[in-house]
Amino acid sequence: MIRYGQQDINQADIEAVIAVLKSVNLTQGPNIPRFQQCVIAHTGAKHAVAVNSATSALHIACLSLGLGPGDWLWTSPNTFVASANCGLYCGAKVDFVDIDPRTYNLCPKALEIKLNEAEKAGKLPKIVVPVHLSGQPCDMEAIHALSLRYGFKIIEDASHAIGGMYKGEPIGNGRYSDITVFSFHPVKIITTAEGGMALTNSDELATKLGLFHSHGITRDPALMTRPMEGPWYYQQVDLGYNYRMTDIQAALGVSQISRLNHYVARRHEIAARYNELLADLPLVLPWQHPDSYSAFHLYVIRLKLNEISRSHLQVFEALRAKDIMVNLHYIPVHTQPFYQKMGFKHGDYPEAERYYREAISIPMYPTLTNAEQDEVVNALREAMGL
Ligand SMILES: *Cc1c(COP(=O)(O)O)cnc(C)c1O
């Protein structure tokens, strides 16, 4: 069986985890600040808060930016549901902006049109969440310029994108956003099993992220309302959650991140080889914006359905029947029943829906061998009836 994505765990990873299991601190040990520092060193962000998932990171990012009832959060419909759900967790309302047909990322032109209308209606968003699909960065310069004009905050959902670059700089450095979020789920670029991180250059936001990820509790006298009452003392100054990462997970993260650049380079090799092997097939291959160096979390092909005799479903099922565990990223969020109950309808975001009818994520992970890749290509050719 060849899966669409898969983690790579080596002996050093295993030993790093075992070392924590033999230590005294399973949860809040030295590996958490160490892992945060590794991500800071990689991205150039000023602050990083490790948490137990990217979903948690998105939630505390929204809380830290003050999102609440009566506010709007906008994101791409072509994403995992977590990018939108974080707004609902805060009691805000969620809306979507259709995608660019070449990058499959939130389209800045569609954003501008929607902002213009929202301004007239007095319904401007407080937060926009661009999602770097497959690891290819969004047009952040354009989105940032719009944020200055319309006064919204930006959370980059970079769950796919650690190790990628935008205009020659690491994704996560926060040049064009308030907070960036990474995921370390096993299918992503590096893993801590479950895990995520929120990055920011703002001291104030970093303090809030720190509070919200751990019950709203502080041990910092500077944040307290009264003097310390003793060495045991802490204060709860806000309502937070238990979103902490464990030291076991962080140790795995520290070990994994040492191979980040190698992983992304290998993903580029695999993408280049797919580009060659698939060039003659009736497919749209992943177009790369010249400003971007994708982390290549996914390699998404789109079927040119009017040039083949098989349906999207038939091609997908034929691949799965051959134990090639392809996937589809993503079912447009606004078509989920939970979102349709809020009034969203099929047809609301035509580019995301067209993409959904044609897209397939084929296997892409650093340990995929050339022989396995050839197997995928042959199976795909056959599945398409060629
Ligand atoms: C995986 C993913 C998430 C959620 O990440 P978790 O770490 O599983 O919570 C959010 N957004 C996108 C785009 C993702 O791919």
Side-chain angles (χ1 to χ4, degrees), residues 153-331:
K153 304 290 184 189
I154 301 174
I155 301 171
E156 292 175 71
D157 185 343
S159 291
H160 299 183
I162 191 169
M165 307 223 275
Y166 176 65
K167 291 184 184 281
E169 296 182 355
I171 293 174
N173 74 354
R175 185 177 296 286
Y176 301 99
S177 66
D178 297 282
I179 298 173
T180 303
V181 166
F182 291 136
S183 172
F184 308 122
H185 182 279
V187 296
K188 308 290 166 73
I189 306 286
I190 58 169
T191 190
T192 60
E194 296 285 358
M197 203 172 280
L199 286 78
T200 184
N201 293 328
S202 153
D203 298 346
E204 193 192 331
L205 287 174
T207 300
K208 289 186 178 170
L209 291 166
L211 283 172
F212 285 125
H213 100 296
S214 190
H215 308 280
I217 282 174
T218 184
R219 290 175 191 279
D220 177 358
L223 299 177
M224 292 186 186
T225 59
R226 306 191 287 275
M228 294 275 282
E229 293 174 6
W232 63 84
Y233 196 61
Y234 59 80
Q235 278 190 350
Q236 184 190 346
V237 295
D238 211 325
L239 183 62
Y241 298 81
N242 180 355
Y243 283 169
R244 296 185 307 264
M245 180 179 273
T246 67
D247 213 56
I248 303 169
Q249 292 168 301
L252 180 55
V254 170
S255 184
Q256 286 261 311
I257 202 171
S258 66
R259 306 198 294 282
L260 174 60
N261 291 336
H262 161 75
Y263 282 157
V264 175
R266 176 66 191 136
R267 286 172 179 276
H268 273 261
E269 276 175 18
I270 294 168
R273 197 156 178 273
Y274 270 140
N275 289 345
E276 237 169 75
L277 296 170
L278 301 175
D280 301 331
L281 273 57
L283 295 170
V284 180
L285 302 180
W287 182 79
Q288 298 298 296
H289 193 286
D291 285 345
S292 83
Y293 177 76
S294 176
F296 265 114
H297 164 52
L298 302 172
Y299 189 93
V300 176
I301 56 169
R302 287 179 73 166
L303 306 178
K304 292 183 177 169
L305 290 168
N306 52 359
E307 295 180 28
I308 59 176
S309 58
R310 306 282 162 89
S311 71
H312 183 232
L313 178 64
Q314 282 172 329
V315 174
F316 199 99
E317 285 182 334
L319 286 164
R320 287 241 175 140
K322 286 193 163 357
D323 266 353
I324 303 199
M325 292 296 126
V326 289
N327 218 318
L328 209 175
H329 302 90
Y330 286 95
I331 306 161

Side-chain angles (χ1 to χ4, degrees), residues 33-105:
R34 203 173 284 155
F35 184 38
Q36 288 170 167
Q37 282 308 316
C38 288
V39 177
I40 285 170
H42 181 83
T43 56
K46 189 167 174 199
H47 304 282
V49 178
V51 289
N52 58 6
S53 73
T55 304
S56 304
L58 286 163
H59 184 192
I60 61 171
C62 290
L63 290 171
S64 299
L65 290 167
L67 191 74
D71 294 328
W72 287 91
L73 175 144
W74 292 4
T75 188
S76 166
N78 189 23
T79 185
F80 185 55
V81 291
S83 321
N85 289 347
C86 58
L88 303 179
Y89 293 159
C90 300
K93 285 179 275 190
V94 167
D95 206 351
F96 301 95
V97 179
D98 210 352
I99 60 170
D100 176 285
R102 284 199 300 184
T103 62
Y104 318 142
N105 281 331

